[in-house]
Amino acid sequence: STTIGSLIDDDYDGAKRNVLLLFLSGTVDAILDFWVLFLFGYAKENIVKGVRIDTFAAMMRQEQAFFDKTNTGELMSRLSSDCGEMAGDLTWFFRFSVEAVVRITGIAVYMIIRSPYLGLCTVGIVPVVGIINKVYGDWLF
């Protein structure tokens, strides 16, 4: 809307500046998104490695009778798919939690900077709506 307002007012330099800022913001967002994906992928692989090592160590501490009554396929499934699936779920949860907190904080700061009254009104109303949604969700289930 600022860019369109600049174009309506024949302020072409202001419109160019706004488009450039939008392009720059998109580029920074893409770079940060790459690093988020890379770092959380790296963290996931480290978690998988640690869980597999711990699971294998726990299996090795079992008595011989444990291996007589437990299928080899079940043990391999624990090491391969179960550990990876659990680590994937953990990293997905942490990634989207961190991303949501950063996004909400950034939007709130932007709104307060652009329009302090409207921003503070929104920041005050959002927790109330969240509490109402939580109470309603608990009531449904």
Side-chain angles (χ1 to χ4, degrees):
S1 66
T2 307
T3 305
I4 294 173
S6 296
L7 289 173
I8 290 172
D9 295 337
D10 292 329
D11 181 17
Y12 297 112
D13 290 331
K16 286 180 187 177
R17 184 180 65 248
N18 289 329
V19 170
L20 182 62
L21 287 174
L22 180 64
F23 177 75
L24 183 64
S25 299
T27 303
V28 168
D29 182 50
I31 291 168
L32 291 176
D33 197 33
F34 166 77
W35 282 107
V36 164
L37 290 173
F38 173 76
L39 291 175
F40 275 100
Y42 184 74
K44 175 187 171 189
E45 294 306 317
N46 281 339
I47 291 171
V48 169
K49 178 183 170 188
V51 170
R52 284 185 179 158
I53 288 172
D54 292 344
T55 305
F56 184 73
M59 284 182 191
M60 291 292 101
R61 287 191 299 269
Q62 299 298 319
E63 295 180 11
Q64 186 66 31
F66 171 77
F67 296 102
D68 291 338
K69 63 183 176 183
T70 306
N71 294 335
T72 306
E74 185 180 333
L75 295 175
M76 293 305 293
S77 174
R78 295 259 186 261
L79 281 175
S80 61
S81 64
D82 291 353
C83 294
E85 194 171 322
M86 184 191 70
D89 291 344
L90 282 173
T91 55
W92 180 87
F93 173 76
F94 287 125
R95 175 179 175 238
F96 286 108
S97 297
V98 169
E99 187 176 320
V101 167
V102 169
R103 183 165 295 178
I104 289 170
T105 304
I107 290 170
V109 168
Y110 174 78
M111 288 178 68
I112 291 170
I113 289 171
R114 292 293 292 172
S115 175
Y117 294 121
L118 185 59
L120 290 174
C121 178
T122 303
V123 168
I125 290 174
V126 166
V128 174
V129 171
I131 291 169
I132 292 170
N133 285 338
K134 172 70 173 132
V135 169
Y136 181 67
D138 290 344
W139 177 76
L140 284 178
F141 297 106

